Amino acid sequence: MTEKKVMLTQEGYDKLAAKLEHLKSVRRIEVADRLKAAIALGDLSENSEYEDAKNEQGFLEGEILDLEAKLRNCEIIEEEVSSLIKPGSTVVIRDLETGEVETYMIVGSTEADPDEARISYESPLGAALLHQEVGAIVDVHAPIGVIKYEIVEIKS
């Protein structure tokens, strides 16, 4: 089975690598200590501490495997100056109806965080902006209808 390619900025890669290292070197030990303490309590058949620790261990190992796969199958987004929007670009757009100006960084889905103005190139807005240039008008299909944006600036 081929795994999906994950697009990451260098910053995103570094964050995932640090999280993976923390899970492997700190959280694994904490969960193992919880398991040992629960086992020391005796009868495992009626030991909710043991069950909770085993469940946490399973979740943790799944998260570690997921992060390892993402890092193994990632492509680092090159941040270079370009006249076209691509993953890694920072884009300034203006809503043509309200005049509101917003700035977003186009990233892969793993790094997307709308609260931090980081949107996925797979999102409706990100997909509409991809491969466009300054001055272009894009239509974004949203639950409230079609929203028109003008691309004001592309920063890389």
Side-chain angles (χ1 to χ4, degrees):
M1 178 176 115
T2 52
E3 295 178 348
K4 182 181 175 187
K5 195 60 119 171
V6 177
M7 302 286 286
L8 293 172
T9 61
Q10 185 63 51
E11 176 187 1
Y13 178 89
D14 293 343
K15 283 182 180 178
L16 286 183
K19 181 176 182 179
L20 177 61
E21 182 59 30
H22 174 77
L23 292 178
K24 288 174 135 181
S25 63
V26 176
R27 291 291 298 137
R28 260 187 183 158
I29 293 168
E30 292 173 352
V31 171
D33 289 345
R34 271 191 69 201
L35 272 170
K36 287 178 193 172
I39 290 170
L41 293 175
D43 186 9
L44 298 182
S45 65
E46 295 182 19
N47 188 334
S48 64
E49 286 293 320
Y50 176 75
E51 287 299 317
D52 287 345
K54 285 297 286 179
N55 288 338
E56 185 177 356
Q57 182 184 43
F59 179 78
L60 176 66
E61 293 303 322
E63 191 173 8
I64 287 170
L65 288 174
D66 182 55
L67 287 173
E68 287 174 337
K70 285 178 180 174
L71 292 173
R72 183 176 52 251
N73 295 300
C74 79
E75 182 177 323
I76 302 294
I77 298 168
E78 297 296 324
E79 296 182 33
E80 60 189 44
V81 177
S82 172
S83 63
L84 297 178
I85 297 170
K86 61 187 180 346
S89 297
T90 298
V91 184
V92 179
I93 58 174
R94 179 177 37 248
D95 184 319
L96 292 179
E97 185 177 320
T98 66
E100 184 178 342
V101 175
E102 299 171 353
T103 302
Y104 294 103
M105 182 174 195
I106 309 298
V107 296
S109 58
T110 301
E111 290 182 81
D113 184 354
D115 293 336
E116 296 291 323
R118 298 168 74 87
I119 60 170
S120 169
Y121 65 87
E122 297 171 333
S123 70
L125 178 57
L129 293 172
L130 211 54
H131 308 298
Q132 299 295 325
E133 58 188 355
V134 172
I137 307 294
V138 296
D139 294 337
V140 178
H141 297 275
I144 61 170
V146 176
I147 304 170
K148 291 187 177 293
Y149 291 100
E150 177 185 9
I151 300 168
V152 178
E153 183 180 358
I154 302 170
K155 306 174 190 176
S156 290

